[in-house]
C-alpha cells in the first residue's frame, strides 16, 4: 500500500498516512484526515513526496 505524506497547514507538521488509492481519493474530497499533532483537518497531501512501494528488488 502506498504511503502518502501530508502536511498540516496549521502547525506545519508533516506526517505519513498509509492509504489505499480509494481511501486517499475519498480523504482528498472530504478532507477528513487530521493532523496528529494539533487535530486540524486542514491538511494537504504532499504529492511530490509520494512514496511508491514497489516489489522490485535490485
Ligand atoms: Zn497540525
Amino acid at each position: 500500500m502506498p504511503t502518502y505524506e501530508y502536511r498540516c497547514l496549521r502547525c506545519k507538521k508533516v506526517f505519513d498516512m498509509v492509504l489505499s488509492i480509494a481511501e486517499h481519493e475519498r480523504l482528498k474530497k472530504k478532507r477528513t484526515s487530521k493532523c496528529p499533532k494539533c487535530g486540524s483537518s486542514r491538511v494537504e497531501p504532499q504529492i511530490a513526496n509520494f512514496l511508491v512501494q514497489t516489489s522490485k528488488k535490485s
Side-chain angles (χ1 to χ4, degrees), residues 40-56:
S40 171
S41 55
R42 295 206 57 190
V43 297
E44 193 175 69
Q46 302 291 288
I47 303 299
N49 293 325
F50 171 58
L51 305 172
V52 181
Q53 290 178 349
T54 65
S55 56
K56 193 163 56 174

Side-chain angles (χ1 to χ4, degrees), residues 8-13 15 35-40 42-43:
C8 177
L9 298 179
R10 193 167 153 197
C11 69
K12 313 296 186 200
K13 165 87 176 166
F15 56 99
C35 172
K37 191 179 171 189
C38 72
S40 171
R42 295 206 57 190
V43 297

Side-chain angles (χ1 to χ4, degrees), residues 12-50:
K12 313 296 186 200
K13 165 87 176 166
V14 175
F15 56 99
D16 294 330
M17 287 181 76
V18 179
L19 300 170
S20 68
I21 302 290
E23 280 176 317
H24 177 69
E25 288 300 314
R26 204 170 58 217
L27 288 178
K28 218 164 55 172
K29 281 178 193 147
K30 291 177 76 177
R31 297 200 170 262
T32 52
S33 44
K34 281 193 176 166
C35 172
K37 191 179 171 189
C38 72
S40 171
S41 55
R42 295 206 57 190
V43 297
E44 193 175 69
Q46 302 291 288
I47 303 299
N49 293 325
F50 171 58

